[in-house]
Amino acid sequence: KSSKTGNIFSIKKTYSAYIILIVLLIISFVIFRITTKQIENDLNNQFDKAVSSIMNRFEVQYENKYNIVKSTSGLYQLVIEVVRDYFDLYSAVPVNTYPSILSINYIEKVYDKDLSIYKYFISTQGYYDYSFKLPIKKEIYYAIHHIMPYEINKHRHGFDISTQELFFKPAWKSVIENQIVATECYVSRSNDTLSFFLIAPIFIKDSKINTVEDRKNNLKGFLKIFEFLT
């Protein structure tokens, strides 16, 4: 009888211990879930803030570069021809101010029948070692005419940029829509460098640009900023 009574008391004590253990496990699980959810929310908030900060910074940088393209391309509506000294004066400031700008280019529309005249004209602007780089013979070329900074980019001076679809397709879109456009981002120079172009169409001063056909006929060239993401 005493043995049975002892077993009953033992079971009661063990039962109580199990109940306490189960309650503690439930409480621990609830605390774990609450803590995990809180940490997850904190991490999501931090991530959202980081993304928002990056996007805000990118938008500010983009707006700055957009305004540079707009103001520099506006030079070509003030004068018939923007000579080298004039171009360098205006483009040197943004290039030196923003390290992310790899170069600012003016790209000239050149007819094959006018190549000799064009080469002479560009030599009068101090480009004595200018070399016209034509991958293929065409009726019309789009050659890099001015480039800033010059010394580190002079190997590209005179290159027919229309052979690069990455540039020329959005460039032609800028003509059709008569607005500044940005290319897609792409890997350039090294595997960890993303770059893109900002492109503005340049039209002959005081020419008609009301229709797409007008803009195609009176296209003088393009202004291009070569930019990498920071």
Side-chain angles (χ1 to χ4, degrees), residues 1 9 11 15 22 26 31 39 43-44 63 103 121 127 149 162 169 172 177 183 193 204-205 207 211 226:
K1 184 176 179 181
F9 283 124
I11 291 171
Y15 180 77
I22 292 171
I26 293 173
I31 293 174
I39 293 173
L43 290 175
N44 286 335
E63 187 68 22
S103 66
F121 168 70
Y127 295 123
S162 67
K169 189 175 180 179
W172 204 242
E177 298 181 357
T183 66
T193 303
I204 297 170
K205 187 177 183 298
S207 62
T211 67
F226 183 20

Side-chain angles (χ1 to χ4, degrees), residues 33-85:
R33 291 291 297 173
I34 293 173
T35 305
T36 302
K37 191 65 176 178
Q38 184 63 45
I39 293 173
E40 184 180 338
N41 289 337
D42 289 344
L43 290 175
N44 286 335
N45 289 336
Q46 290 177 20
F47 177 78
D48 290 341
K49 288 179 181 178
V51 171
S52 178
S53 176
I54 291 171
M55 290 304 298
N56 288 338
R57 187 179 68 176
F58 178 78
E59 288 174 2
V60 169
Q61 290 292 323
Y62 179 85
E63 187 68 22
N64 289 337
K65 309 306 166 40
Y66 179 92
N67 289 331
I68 291 169
V69 173
K70 187 175 181 179
S71 60
T72 308
S73 61
L75 291 174
Y76 290 85
Q77 293 303 311
L78 297 177
V79 295
I80 295 176
E81 190 65 48
V82 177
V83 296
R84 180 182 183 180
D85 290 343

Side-chain angles (χ1 to χ4, degrees), residues 81 106-108 118 121-122 125 127 143-147 157:
E81 190 65 48
Y106 167 62
I107 296 156
E108 177 90 358
Y118 176 74
F121 168 70
I122 200 167
Q125 298 186 41
Y127 295 123
I144 296 178
H145 185 96
H146 295 308
I147 188 166
H157 198 206

